[in-house]
Amino acid sequence: MLYLVRMDVSLPHDMPAAQAEDIKAREKAYAQDLQRQGKWQQLYRVVGEYANYSVFDVESNETLHTLLSGLPLFPYMKIAVTPLAPHPSSIR
């Protein structure tokens, strides 16, 4: 199943820089591993925001929830999920 996911990140302003950098490094490694597995198919930055749009291809809602809640930045995110289906007019 395909999902379009918007993730908005809001780190606490008083979070120590070293802690923020550690979380971001773990987030990058986790995201890149999911991309290599083919589960996180596309990742786009939202210009001017600490946010992204991503396309996930996973088996179920539960699988997506597990992947997203495993993100190191998850506690600092607002996430919106839109399930996707093929459009009948698409040539792909």
Side-chain angles (χ1 to χ4, degrees):
M1 295 178 62
L2 291 177
Y3 298 89
L4 176 66
V5 179
R6 178 173 171 129
M7 296 177 240
D8 291 87
V9 180
S10 181
L11 293 175
H13 297 292
D14 60 348
M15 178 181 280
Q19 181 182 358
E21 293 308 314
D22 175 64
I23 292 170
K24 291 175 190 178
R26 290 186 291 120
E27 180 85 7
K28 182 176 182 177
Y30 183 79
Q32 289 180 344
D33 183 52
L34 291 175
Q35 290 172 68
R36 286 184 194 95
Q37 293 178 42
K39 295 177 182 182
W40 195 327
Q41 293 201 337
Q42 297 178 45
L43 174 57
Y44 299 96
R45 174 182 291 173
V46 178
V47 176
E49 299 180 36
Y50 194 176
N52 74 74
Y53 280 103
S54 295
V55 176
F56 287 83
D57 187 1
V58 294
E59 305 81 37
S60 66
N61 295 337
E62 293 79 17
T63 300
L64 180 63
H65 180 77
T66 298
L67 294 179
L68 294 175
S69 62
L71 290 165
L73 285 170
F74 181 77
Y76 310 103
M77 288 182 175
K78 177 183 170 192
I79 298 175
V81 176
T82 304
L84 300 174
H87 194 284
S89 297
S90 175
I91 62 171
R92 293 186 173 84

mmCIF file of all heavy atoms in Angstrom, residues 7 22-34 40 56 61-77 79:
data_model
loop_
_atom_site.group_PDB
_atom_site.id
_atom_site.type_symbol
_atom_site.label_atom_id
_atom_site.label_comp_id
_atom_site.label_asym_id
_atom_site.label_seq_id
_atom_site.Cartn_x
_atom_site.Cartn_y
_atom_site.Cartn_z
ATOM 1 N N MET A 7 5.646 15.137 7.336
ATOM 2 C CA MET A 7 6.223 15.186 8.674
ATOM 3 C C MET A 7 6.746 16.590 8.940
ATOM 4 O O MET A 7 7.562 17.097 8.181
ATOM 5 C CB MET A 7 7.373 14.181 8.790
ATOM 6 C CG MET A 7 6.952 12.748 8.638
ATOM 7 S SD MET A 7 8.363 11.625 8.703
ATOM 8 C CE MET A 7 8.222 10.851 7.112
ATOM 9 N N ASP A 22 22.665 14.279 17.717
ATOM 10 C CA ASP A 22 22.608 12.834 17.873
ATOM 11 C C ASP A 22 21.292 12.280 17.331
ATOM 12 O O ASP A 22 21.276 11.286 16.592
ATOM 13 C CB ASP A 22 22.766 12.447 19.348
ATOM 14 C CG ASP A 22 22.589 10.956 19.565
ATOM 15 O OD1 ASP A 22 23.418 10.172 19.045
ATOM 16 O OD2 ASP A 22 21.600 10.570 20.234
ATOM 17 N N ILE A 23 20.186 12.914 17.675
ATOM 18 C CA ILE A 23 18.869 12.468 17.194
ATOM 19 C C ILE A 23 18.811 12.566 15.677
ATOM 20 O O ILE A 23 18.329 11.645 15.000
ATOM 21 C CB ILE A 23 17.742 13.290 17.843
ATOM 22 C CG1 ILE A 23 17.651 12.991 19.336
ATOM 23 C CG2 ILE A 23 16.398 13.009 17.164
ATOM 24 C CD1 ILE A 23 16.728 13.915 20.103
ATOM 25 N N LYS A 24 19.309 13.654 15.110
ATOM 26 C CA LYS A 24 19.282 13.834 13.648
ATOM 27 C C LYS A 24 20.139 12.780 12.946
ATOM 28 O O LYS A 24 19.761 12.266 11.892
ATOM 29 C CB LYS A 24 19.754 15.238 13.280
ATOM 30 C CG LYS A 24 18.788 16.330 13.677
ATOM 31 C CD LYS A 24 19.383 17.698 13.380
ATOM 32 C CE LYS A 24 18.578 18.811 13.979
ATOM 33 N NZ LYS A 24 19.187 20.137 13.714
ATOM 34 N N ALA A 25 21.279 12.429 13.520
ATOM 35 C CA ALA A 25 22.147 11.409 12.916
ATOM 36 C C ALA A 25 21.465 10.041 12.947
ATOM 37 O O ALA A 25 21.508 9.288 11.961
ATOM 38 C CB ALA A 25 23.490 11.358 13.645
ATOM 39 N N ARG A 26 20.810 9.709 14.064
ATOM 40 C CA ARG A 26 20.092 8.437 14.151
ATOM 41 C C ARG A 26 18.898 8.420 13.199
ATOM 42 O O ARG A 26 18.606 7.390 12.569
ATOM 43 C CB ARG A 26 19.655 8.167 15.594
ATOM 44 C CG ARG A 26 20.834 7.848 16.511
ATOM 45 C CD ARG A 26 20.422 7.440 17.912
ATOM 46 N NE ARG A 26 19.847 8.555 18.660
ATOM 47 C CZ ARG A 26 18.606 8.581 19.155
ATOM 48 N NH1 ARG A 26 17.793 7.554 18.982
ATOM 49 N NH2 ARG A 26 18.170 9.624 19.822
ATOM 50 N N GLU A 27 18.229 9.554 13.070
ATOM 51 C CA GLU A 27 17.101 9.686 12.137
ATOM 52 C C GLU A 27 17.551 9.430 10.697
ATOM 53 O O GLU A 27 16.908 8.701 9.948
ATOM 54 C CB GLU A 27 16.505 11.099 12.254
ATOM 55 C CG GLU A 27 15.335 11.369 11.340
ATOM 56 C CD GLU A 27 14.010 10.928 11.914
ATOM 57 O OE1 GLU A 27 13.959 10.527 13.091
ATOM 58 O OE2 GLU A 27 13.014 10.977 11.173
ATOM 59 N N LYS A 28 18.673 10.033 10.314
ATOM 60 C CA LYS A 28 19.188 9.869 8.955
ATOM 61 C C LYS A 28 19.514 8.411 8.667
ATOM 62 O O LYS A 28 19.152 7.873 7.612
ATOM 63 C CB LYS A 28 20.424 10.748 8.758
ATOM 64 C CG LYS A 28 21.003 10.684 7.363
ATOM 65 C CD LYS A 28 22.169 11.652 7.213
ATOM 66 C CE LYS A 28 22.719 11.637 5.805
ATOM 67 N NZ LYS A 28 23.808 12.621 5.632
ATOM 68 N N ALA A 29 20.188 7.749 9.603
ATOM 69 C CA ALA A 29 20.545 6.340 9.411
ATOM 70 C C ALA A 29 19.298 5.471 9.287
ATOM 71 O O ALA A 29 19.223 4.596 8.417
ATOM 72 C CB ALA A 29 21.427 5.869 10.566
ATOM 73 N N TYR A 30 18.311 5.703 10.131
ATOM 74 C CA TYR A 30 17.065 4.932 10.107
ATOM 75 C C TYR A 30 16.332 5.156 8.782
ATOM 76 O O TYR A 30 15.894 4.197 8.136
ATOM 77 C CB TYR A 30 16.200 5.364 11.292
ATOM 78 C CG TYR A 30 14.906 4.614 11.469
ATOM 79 C CD1 TYR A 30 14.865 3.345 12.047
ATOM 80 C CD2 TYR A 30 13.691 5.186 11.094
ATOM 81 C CE1 TYR A 30 13.672 2.664 12.238
ATOM 82 C CE2 TYR A 30 12.494 4.512 11.280
ATOM 83 C CZ TYR A 30 12.490 3.259 11.852
ATOM 84 O OH TYR A 30 11.303 2.591 12.038
ATOM 85 N N ALA A 31 16.224 6.421 8.360
ATOM 86 C CA ALA A 31 15.526 6.753 7.112
ATOM 87 C C ALA A 31 16.234 6.141 5.911
ATOM 88 O O ALA A 31 15.579 5.603 5.002
ATOM 89 C CB ALA A 31 15.417 8.267 6.962
ATOM 90 N N GLN A 32 17.543 6.197 5.892
ATOM 91 C CA GLN A 32 18.276 5.648 4.760
ATOM 92 C C GLN A 32 18.156 4.124 4.716
ATOM 93 O O GLN A 32 18.074 3.538 3.636
ATOM 94 C CB GLN A 32 19.735 6.101 4.791
ATOM 95 C CG GLN A 32 19.862 7.571 4.451
ATOM 96 C CD GLN A 32 21.298 8.073 4.460
ATOM 97 O OE1 GLN A 32 22.200 7.427 5.001
ATOM 98 N NE2 GLN A 32 21.503 9.235 3.881
ATOM 99 N N ASP A 33 18.101 3.474 5.866
ATOM 100 C CA ASP A 33 17.901 2.031 5.894
ATOM 101 C C ASP A 33 16.533 1.673 5.317
ATOM 102 O O ASP A 33 16.421 0.740 4.513
ATOM 103 C CB ASP A 33 18.037 1.494 7.321
ATOM 104 C CG ASP A 33 17.899 -0.007 7.384
ATOM 105 O OD1 ASP A 33 18.597 -0.712 6.625
ATOM 106 O OD2 ASP A 33 17.070 -0.493 8.180
ATOM 107 N N LEU A 34 15.485 2.408 5.696
ATOM 108 C CA LEU A 34 14.150 2.145 5.157
ATOM 109 C C LEU A 34 14.098 2.406 3.653
ATOM 110 O O LEU A 34 13.393 1.704 2.916
ATOM 111 C CB LEU A 34 13.105 2.997 5.878
ATOM 112 C CG LEU A 34 12.845 2.626 7.339
ATOM 113 C CD1 LEU A 34 11.884 3.631 7.970
ATOM 114 C CD2 LEU A 34 12.315 1.221 7.465
ATOM 115 N N TRP A 40 10.605 3.202 2.173
ATOM 116 C CA TRP A 40 10.526 4.662 2.104
ATOM 117 C C TRP A 40 10.968 5.009 0.684
ATOM 118 O O TRP A 40 12.148 5.150 0.397
ATOM 119 C CB TRP A 40 11.449 5.282 3.134
ATOM 120 C CG TRP A 40 11.240 6.723 3.436
ATOM 121 C CD1 TRP A 40 10.818 7.714 2.597
ATOM 122 C CD2 TRP A 40 11.459 7.364 4.702
ATOM 123 N NE1 TRP A 40 10.764 8.911 3.225
ATOM 124 C CE2 TRP A 40 11.153 8.722 4.537
ATOM 125 C CE3 TRP A 40 11.884 6.924 5.937
ATOM 126 C CZ2 TRP A 40 11.256 9.646 5.560
ATOM 127 C CZ3 TRP A 40 11.995 7.843 6.958
ATOM 128 C CH2 TRP A 40 11.677 9.187 6.780
ATOM 129 N N PHE A 56 5.692 6.174 1.214
ATOM 130 C CA PHE A 56 6.017 4.874 1.776
ATOM 131 C C PHE A 56 5.247 3.793 1.034
ATOM 132 O O PHE A 56 4.098 4.007 0.636
ATOM 133 C CB PHE A 56 5.642 4.810 3.261
ATOM 134 C CG PHE A 56 6.544 5.593 4.159
ATOM 135 C CD1 PHE A 56 6.364 6.957 4.343
ATOM 136 C CD2 PHE A 56 7.589 4.969 4.829
ATOM 137 C CE1 PHE A 56 7.194 7.687 5.170
ATOM 138 C CE2 PHE A 56 8.430 5.701 5.662
ATOM 139 C CZ PHE A 56 8.232 7.051 5.829
ATOM 140 N N ASN A 61 -1.484 -0.425 7.432
ATOM 141 C CA ASN A 61 -1.495 0.744 8.314
ATOM 142 C C ASN A 61 -0.621 0.498 9.540
ATOM 143 O O ASN A 61 0.111 1.389 9.974
ATOM 144 C CB ASN A 61 -2.924 1.060 8.784
ATOM 145 C CG ASN A 61 -3.839 1.467 7.666
ATOM 146 O OD1 ASN A 61 -3.403 1.925 6.616
ATOM 147 N ND2 ASN A 61 -5.129 1.299 7.881
ATOM 148 N N GLU A 62 -0.719 -0.692 10.080
ATOM 149 C CA GLU A 62 0.047 -1.039 11.275
ATOM 150 C C GLU A 62 1.550 -0.998 11.011
ATOM 151 O O GLU A 62 2.321 -0.511 11.838
ATOM 152 C CB GLU A 62 -0.360 -2.420 11.802
ATOM 153 C CG GLU A 62 -1.770 -2.489 12.340
ATOM 154 C CD GLU A 62 -2.839 -2.600 11.245
ATOM 155 O OE1 GLU A 62 -2.510 -2.938 10.076
ATOM 156 O OE2 GLU A 62 -4.010 -2.331 11.552
ATOM 157 N N THR A 63 1.951 -1.495 9.836
ATOM 158 C CA THR A 63 3.372 -1.466 9.478
ATOM 159 C C THR A 63 3.860 -0.030 9.372
ATOM 160 O O THR A 63 4.926 0.314 9.889
ATOM 161 C CB THR A 63 3.623 -2.212 8.155
ATOM 162 O OG1 THR A 63 3.209 -3.567 8.304
ATOM 163 C CG2 THR A 63 5.091 -2.173 7.767
ATOM 164 N N LEU A 64 3.070 0.816 8.714
ATOM 165 C CA LEU A 64 3.460 2.221 8.592
ATOM 166 C C LEU A 64 3.567 2.859 9.969
ATOM 167 O O LEU A 64 4.532 3.577 10.259
ATOM 168 C CB LEU A 64 2.470 2.994 7.722
ATOM 169 C CG LEU A 64 2.814 4.467 7.541
ATOM 170 C CD1 LEU A 64 4.143 4.650 6.807
ATOM 171 C CD2 LEU A 64 1.690 5.195 6.813
ATOM 172 N N HIS A 65 2.593 2.609 10.829
ATOM 173 C CA HIS A 65 2.629 3.189 12.172
ATOM 174 C C HIS A 65 3.886 2.753 12.923
ATOM 175 O O HIS A 65 4.548 3.570 13.570
ATOM 176 C CB HIS A 65 1.386 2.802 12.971
ATOM 177 C CG HIS A 65 1.384 3.362 14.345
ATOM 178 N ND1 HIS A 65 1.088 4.685 14.609
ATOM 179 C CD2 HIS A 65 1.695 2.804 15.536
ATOM 180 C CE1 HIS A 65 1.199 4.902 15.910
ATOM 181 N NE2 HIS A 65 1.574 3.776 16.487
ATOM 182 N N THR A 66 4.230 1.488 12.801
ATOM 183 C CA THR A 66 5.431 0.975 13.474
ATOM 184 C C THR A 66 6.681 1.668 12.944
ATOM 185 O O THR A 66 7.552 2.072 13.731
ATOM 186 C CB THR A 66 5.539 -0.542 13.288
ATOM 187 O OG1 THR A 66 4.394 -1.158 13.888
ATOM 188 C CG2 THR A 66 6.806 -1.091 13.921
ATOM 189 N N LEU A 67 6.786 1.821 11.617
ATOM 190 C CA LEU A 67 7.952 2.485 11.031
ATOM 191 C C LEU A 67 8.041 3.941 11.483
ATOM 192 O O LEU A 67 9.114 4.421 11.861
ATOM 193 C CB LEU A 67 7.907 2.417 9.509
ATOM 194 C CG LEU A 67 8.031 1.038 8.879
ATOM 195 C CD1 LEU A 67 7.945 1.142 7.361
ATOM 196 C CD2 LEU A 67 9.315 0.362 9.288
ATOM 197 N N LEU A 68 6.914 4.649 11.417
ATOM 198 C CA LEU A 68 6.924 6.064 11.781
ATOM 199 C C LEU A 68 7.208 6.267 13.264
ATOM 200 O O LEU A 68 7.983 7.155 13.636
ATOM 201 C CB LEU A 68 5.589 6.723 11.413
ATOM 202 C CG LEU A 68 5.277 6.818 9.920
ATOM 203 C CD1 LEU A 68 3.880 7.386 9.703
ATOM 204 C CD2 LEU A 68 6.329 7.636 9.179
ATOM 205 N N SER A 69 6.618 5.442 14.106
ATOM 206 C CA SER A 69 6.850 5.611 15.545
ATOM 207 C C SER A 69 8.261 5.213 15.941
ATOM 208 O O SER A 69 8.737 5.577 17.019
ATOM 209 C CB SER A 69 5.815 4.832 16.359
ATOM 210 O OG SER A 69 5.893 3.454 16.104
ATOM 211 N N GLY A 70 8.970 4.494 15.059
ATOM 212 C CA GLY A 70 10.362 4.156 15.303
ATOM 213 C C GLY A 70 11.342 5.250 14.932
ATOM 214 O O GLY A 70 12.537 5.149 15.224
ATOM 215 N N LEU A 71 10.857 6.298 14.279
ATOM 216 C CA LEU A 71 11.740 7.414 13.915
ATOM 217 C C LEU A 71 12.269 8.099 15.172
ATOM 218 O O LEU A 71 11.483 8.434 16.071
ATOM 219 C CB LEU A 71 10.984 8.445 13.061
ATOM 220 C CG LEU A 71 10.609 8.012 11.649
ATOM 221 C CD1 LEU A 71 9.569 8.960 11.064
ATOM 222 C CD2 LEU A 71 11.845 7.977 10.767
ATOM 223 N N PRO A 72 13.569 8.327 15.283
ATOM 224 C CA PRO A 72 14.108 9.010 16.454
ATOM 225 C C PRO A 72 13.481 10.394 16.689
ATOM 226 O O PRO A 72 13.350 10.832 17.831
ATOM 227 C CB PRO A 72 15.601 9.117 16.152
ATOM 228 C CG PRO A 72 15.875 7.903 15.316
ATOM 229 C CD PRO A 72 14.647 7.790 14.433
ATOM 230 N N LEU A 73 13.070 11.077 15.610
ATOM 231 C CA LEU A 73 12.435 12.389 15.753
ATOM 232 C C LEU A 73 10.929 12.302 15.999
ATOM 233 O O LEU A 73 10.270 13.329 16.172
ATOM 234 C CB LEU A 73 12.694 13.243 14.500
ATOM 235 C CG LEU A 73 14.098 13.814 14.359
ATOM 236 C CD1 LEU A 73 14.298 14.430 12.980
ATOM 237 C CD2 LEU A 73 14.383 14.851 15.447
ATOM 238 N N PHE A 74 10.364 11.098 16.036
ATOM 239 C CA PHE A 74 8.916 10.921 16.184
ATOM 240 C C PHE A 74 8.312 11.741 17.329
ATOM 241 O O PHE A 74 7.260 12.365 17.148
ATOM 242 C CB PHE A 74 8.574 9.434 16.338
ATOM 243 C CG PHE A 74 7.109 9.158 16.477
ATOM 244 C CD1 PHE A 74 6.270 9.179 15.379
ATOM 245 C CD2 PHE A 74 6.560 8.867 17.723
ATOM 246 C CE1 PHE A 74 4.911 8.923 15.501
ATOM 247 C CE2 PHE A 74 5.207 8.607 17.863
ATOM 248 C CZ PHE A 74 4.374 8.636 16.750
ATOM 249 N N PRO A 75 8.936 11.777 18.515
ATOM 250 C CA PRO A 75 8.326 12.552 19.604
ATOM 251 C C PRO A 75 8.217 14.051 19.307
ATOM 252 O O PRO A 75 7.472 14.764 19.984
ATOM 253 C CB PRO A 75 9.266 12.314 20.792
ATOM 254 C CG PRO A 75 10.026 11.079 20.451
ATOM 255 C CD PRO A 75 10.145 11.068 18.956
ATOM 256 N N TYR A 76 8.944 14.522 18.306
ATOM 257 C CA TYR A 76 8.975 15.952 17.990
ATOM 258 C C TYR A 76 8.273 16.254 16.665
ATOM 259 O O TYR A 76 8.464 17.314 16.081
ATOM 260 C CB TYR A 76 10.429 16.429 17.932
ATOM 261 C CG TYR A 76 11.216 16.000 19.142
ATOM 262 C CD1 TYR A 76 12.114 14.940 19.076
ATOM 263 C CD2 TYR A 76 11.022 16.632 20.370
ATOM 264 C CE1 TYR A 76 12.814 14.527 20.196
ATOM 265 C CE2 TYR A 76 11.716 16.219 21.495
ATOM 266 C CZ TYR A 76 12.609 15.165 21.403
ATOM 267 O OH TYR A 76 13.292 14.765 22.520
ATOM 268 N N MET A 77 7.467 15.305 16.178
ATOM 269 C CA MET A 77 6.836 15.448 14.868
ATOM 270 C C MET A 77 5.325 15.577 14.959
ATOM 271 O O MET A 77 4.684 14.972 15.816
ATOM 272 C CB MET A 77 7.121 14.229 13.994
ATOM 273 C CG MET A 77 8.500 14.095 13.492
ATOM 274 S SD MET A 77 8.586 12.630 12.430
ATOM 275 C CE MET A 77 10.248 12.768 11.845
ATOM 276 N N ILE A 79 2.539 14.506 12.242
ATOM 277 C CA ILE A 79 2.523 13.667 11.054
ATOM 278 C C ILE A 79 1.102 13.587 10.497
ATOM 279 O O ILE A 79 0.147 13.380 11.248
ATOM 280 C CB ILE A 79 3.039 12.250 11.375
ATOM 281 C CG1 ILE A 79 4.489 12.306 11.857
ATOM 282 C CG2 ILE A 79 2.902 11.336 10.166
ATOM 283 C CD1 ILE A 79 5.048 10.982 12.319
#
